[in-house]
Amino acid sequence: MRFEGRAALVTGAAGGIGAAIVRQLRAEGARVAVADRDVTGIDAEAHLPGDLLDPAYADGLALAARGALGGLDIVVNNAGVITRGPVTDTTDADWSLSLGVNVEAPFRICRAAIPLMAENGGGAIVNVSSCWGGKAPGPNHAIYCMTKAAIASLTQCMGMDHAHQGIRVNAVCPNEVNTPMLRTGFARRGFDPDTAVAELGRTVPIGRIAEPEDIADVALFLASDAARYMCGALVEINGGKPVS
Ligand code: NAD
């Protein structure tokens, strides 16, 4: 029960990785506020539905979570969107969506959460970046990779700037994970998701792509006291398949 007495906010809580993080935090004693566009049916102590593209919603989430839970010790900025293609195929809408969800929303949430955590003596923020962009360039996903590089850089800078307040900011950088984000991408391109996931798994030295729980375990480690000396780290989770 590493998180007994702790209060956590998790964005993208209805998605693959977010749902696993929520389940595991609660299983280890945390009280959790879940944020996503639709949080119906998610077991949690507080439900804060909304659209992260709405600046007022993103600005207010940390305070709303603290109000609902009676504290705020952990924030997991997990929500994300993927846009595919080179810059020449990128629309203005793709640009705004990617920057809005993957970079601006976590910026707004961190900006609001950090003073609340500092008032209370500290806390832990875990951002979800990616091997793609967060660690190395990836092909044919220029804007997605750029946003994940941006959140990785923001993580490193915030990790440095807020360590003195007892606030540790770190990020996980997964490679391919078996979630709706990946599976709907396969389906949109005309592939059977189960077959495509199995084939992709054969390209990973460990023999399979990640499951959401593989990422959640590392996110929870970073949120826990066991990671007490980690500030601004970008932790690659790749099954032996780096992107470089
Ligand atoms: P997912 O699509 O299953 O979940 C993403 C969640 O974010 C969804 O529930 C969605 O509703 C929410 N979200 C998106 N836009 C939103 C908005 N405007 N307002 C509120 N909520 C919004 O995807 P996932 O694979 O679980 O992704 C979680 C994180 O992991 C993302 O940041 C993603 O970039 C990152 N990631 C995923 C993979 C992968 O292979 N699946 C790899 C590396 C990194």
Side-chain angles (χ1 to χ4, degrees):
M1 298 298 269
R2 286 180 292 180
F3 300 105
E4 191 74 59
R6 307 271 169 97
L9 166 66
V10 180
T11 70
I17 296 171
I21 291 173
V22 170
R23 276 194 305 273
Q24 291 182 211
L25 278 170
R26 295 184 74 241
E28 294 203 50
R31 303 188 309 290
V32 180
V34 290
D36 208 308
R37 277 180 298 225
D38 182 359
V39 290
T40 316
I42 304 179
D43 289 333
E45 283 61 41
H47 295 80
L48 304 171
D51 186 344
L52 287 169
L53 293 171
D54 172 2
Y57 170 71
D59 284 339
L61 257 183
L63 193 59
R66 187 177 78 168
L69 301 174
L72 186 63
D73 306 293
I74 296 163
V75 171
V76 184
N77 281 304
N78 160 74
V81 291
I82 194 162
T83 46
R84 293 167 214 280
V87 287
T88 44
D89 291 353
T90 302
T91 64
D92 286 4
D94 290 338
W95 173 265
S96 306
L97 175 68
S98 302
L99 267 289
V101 177
N102 295 0
V103 183
E104 185 174 336
F107 150 70
R108 289 182 179 281
I109 292 168
C110 289
R111 184 176 61 176
I114 287 167
L116 301 181
M117 289 175 161
E119 261 174 40
N120 204 34
I125 297 175
V126 181
N127 295 322
V128 180
S129 177
S130 174
C131 285
W132 284 44
K135 285 288 181 178
N140 212 37
H141 289 73
I143 302 308
Y144 178 73
C145 290
M146 182 201 68
T147 64
K148 291 300 178 179
I151 191 64
S153 177
L154 204 57
T155 299
Q156 291 174 309
C157 295
M158 292 190 297
M160 205 179 263
D161 290 342
H162 301 289
H164 73 99
Q165 293 163 294
I167 299 166
R168 297 182 304 98
V169 188
N170 295 291
V172 288
C173 298
N175 205 336
E176 296 109 348
V177 191
N178 188 11
T179 70
M181 178 182 277
L182 189 93
R183 298 177 68 87
T184 54
F186 283 135
R188 256 200 310 273
R189 282 172 284 156
F191 301 114
D192 170 57
D194 285 335
T195 310
V197 163
E199 274 171 16
L200 194 55
R202 287 194 276 279
T203 70
V204 185
I206 209 166
R208 61 175 178 83
I209 67 166
E211 292 298 324
E213 290 72 17
D214 298 320
I215 311 308
D217 275 335
V218 182
L220 261 69
F221 162 70
L222 290 173
S224 78
D225 294 342
R228 61 193 168 275
Y229 203 68
M230 295 182 74
C231 301
L234 307 176
V235 181
E236 188 166 357
I237 312 168
N238 65 17
K241 182 183 172 187
V243 282
S244 54

